[in-house]
Amino acid sequence: MSFCYDIKNEIGSIKPNPCCKLPLTYGFLLFSRAFSSEKISMQTENETAAKLYAKLLKECYNAETKIEVGGKKKPTYRAFVPDFSDRLKILASVDFGIAKGKINYDCFERECCEACFIRGAFLACGQIVDPEKGYRADFSVRDKSLAEELQAFLDKNFVKANVAKRGNGFTVYIKQREMIINLLTLMGASSRSLDLIETTMMRDVKNNTNRARNCDSANIRKAVSASVRQRKAIEYLIKKDVFYSLPKELVSAGELRLKYPIEPLSELCKNTDEDISVSGLNHRFKRIEDIYLKLSKGK
Ligand SMILES: [Zn+2]
């Protein structure tokens, strides 16, 4: 199966926190094929996504969903709510300003809820190209204002995306490797993110014989997982408005990491004016991660 199929299976299988269930459902509904009193439906090639949609509607609204399988070459799953009163019930209880095509931020209690919302949106209308073939992720969205809302939402979560018209609707697309990694990390597809970076790093290494001699895949994997952890900590601290109040050596280390998201520490040291060793830099990242762990646990 495709990379995209695997990603959807992976993020569709993550059990949401109690606070996240509604945001996840909200993302699904808002970005699915139809969401009105006449029709509430989604269509996908991914069975996990269709089943999750049905399960969430049952659990959140006690609404019945039917799933029909069609498609000639590949199976296509269409999940829809046949009962008019069920549809009204969902619309009435959701009432998140959907008519205006806006994302209602009031339904996100915590940071985890925003991540779940985007996961629902991706399951409803997202696609991602196999990283071996190129870098592209996109969301197919019904109308322009919703597409722009999604773009702003992603931007707020460190994912830079663009909007373009496509067919009858719009596409919100991401073409930069780092941004795709951010998106995958945001959606909770952590092992996938690592695989993606590893694939591309391996490719870069293969293109550089000098470095190939010094690198093996275990080392790359170690460096990559450390860089993802570090970025996650830094981005969290920025979001919580504490990052720039940290001691300045930590701020400069964090900024360096954001500028070079996946490079190993030895490369970071070469790219700064500061006189710092690999172990010194590593120590700074440890301190950043400690602060992150303390803060994120305290919430
Ligand atoms: Zn939550």
Side-chain angles (χ1 to χ4, degrees):
M1 280 296 171
S2 69
F3 181 77
C4 184
Y5 188 89
D6 291 344
I7 289 274
K8 287 194 175 179
N9 278 349
E10 188 186 328
I11 62 171
S13 310
I14 303 171
K15 196 175 181 301
N17 296 332
C19 60
C20 293
K21 209 178 241 186
L22 220 49
L24 177 64
T25 314
Y26 178 42
F28 243 122
L29 287 167
L30 195 55
F31 290 96
S32 61
R33 175 162 284 214
F35 189 44
S36 69
S37 59
E38 293 90 59
K39 212 186 227 180
I40 293 184
S41 72
M42 67 127 7
Q43 191 165 313
T44 175
E45 288 173 4
N46 188 294
E47 195 180 1
T48 308
K51 283 187 170 164
L52 180 62
Y53 177 81
K55 184 170 173 260
L56 288 168
L57 293 185
K58 178 76 186 168
E59 287 177 4
C60 294
Y61 310 111
N62 196 28
E64 298 301 329
T65 304
K66 260 186 98 165
I67 299 178
E68 282 177 353
V69 189
K72 282 177 189 149
K73 282 184 191 157
K74 285 188 226 161
T76 304
Y77 301 86
R78 194 172 84 88
F80 61 101
V81 181
D83 189 82
F84 181 64
S85 61
D86 274 348
R87 294 200 294 272
L88 285 189
K89 197 163 59 185
I90 294 171
L91 282 165
S93 49
V94 171
D95 192 29
F96 287 136
I98 277 137
K100 288 175 235 128
K102 293 225 180 268
I103 295 172
N104 186 334
Y105 287 82
D106 292 346
C107 77
F108 309 131
E109 265 180 55
R110 301 188 209 166
E111 197 190 350
C112 53
C113 303
E114 295 199 9
C116 269
F117 171 75
I118 207 69
R119 201 185 289 162
F122 186 80
L123 286 167
C125 73
Q127 291 291 330
I128 187 162
V129 171
D130 187 325
E132 286 284 359
K133 295 183 186 136
Y135 305 111
R136 187 175 172 108
D138 60 75
F139 294 80
S140 311
V141 185
R142 291 187 301 267
D143 60 74
K144 195 177 176 198
S145 76
L146 196 55
E148 285 169 352
E149 283 275 305
L150 179 63
Q151 181 188 30
F153 180 91
L154 288 169
D155 189 64
K156 195 173 152 287
N157 283 284
F158 308 104
V159 181
K160 293 255 173 293
N162 299 296
V163 176
K165 185 151 177 39
R166 190 168 71 184
N168 293 331
F170 287 82
T171 174
V172 179
Y173 66 93
I174 299 146
K175 279 171 84 173
Q176 264 176 292
R177 178 178 68 180
E178 277 74 24
M179 292 301 144
I180 289 176
I181 291 164
N182 283 1
L183 174 69
L184 290 172
T185 311
L186 175 66
M187 294 193 302
S190 54
S191 65
R192 281 284 152 192
S193 307
L194 291 184
D195 286 351
L196 178 71
I197 317 168
E198 192 181 39
T199 308
T200 58
M201 277 183 84
M202 290 296 276
R203 191 192 297 156
D204 293 346
V205 167
K206 274 182 206 151
N207 290 341
N208 182 333
T209 47
N210 277 335
R211 281 172 78 193
R213 252 180 260 140
N214 301 327
C215 289
D216 60 53
S217 117
N219 274 341
I220 293 175
R221 187 171 268 277
K222 234 169 86 183
V224 162
S225 65
S227 72
V228 169
R229 267 199 340 264
Q230 290 154 3
R231 281 195 312 118
K232 202 174 163 193
I234 295 159
E235 286 171 359
Y236 179 87
L237 295 175
I238 290 177
K239 214 163 159 185
K240 295 289 168 195
D241 274 336
V242 289
F243 179 71
Y244 291 100
S245 349
L246 297 177
K248 69 175 192 313
E249 71 272 17
L250 299 189
V251 174
S252 69
E255 284 177 335
L256 200 56
R257 170 49 81 210
L258 293 180
K259 197 167 166 201
Y260 303 99
I262 58 173
E263 275 71 3
L265 296 183
S266 54
E267 291 295 311
L268 293 190
C269 290
K270 282 182 209 156
N271 284 298
T272 172
D273 298 334
E274 283 181 77
D275 183 21
I276 183 155
S277 65
V278 167
S279 71
L281 193 55
N282 192 36
H283 182 68
R284 291 188 193 178
F285 285 128
K286 282 254 151 46
R287 283 167 64 198
I288 292 176
E289 284 181 61
D290 282 346
I291 297 166
Y292 159 71
L293 286 175
K294 276 183 199 134
L295 270 181
S296 59
K297 271 187 194 146
K299 74 177 174 185

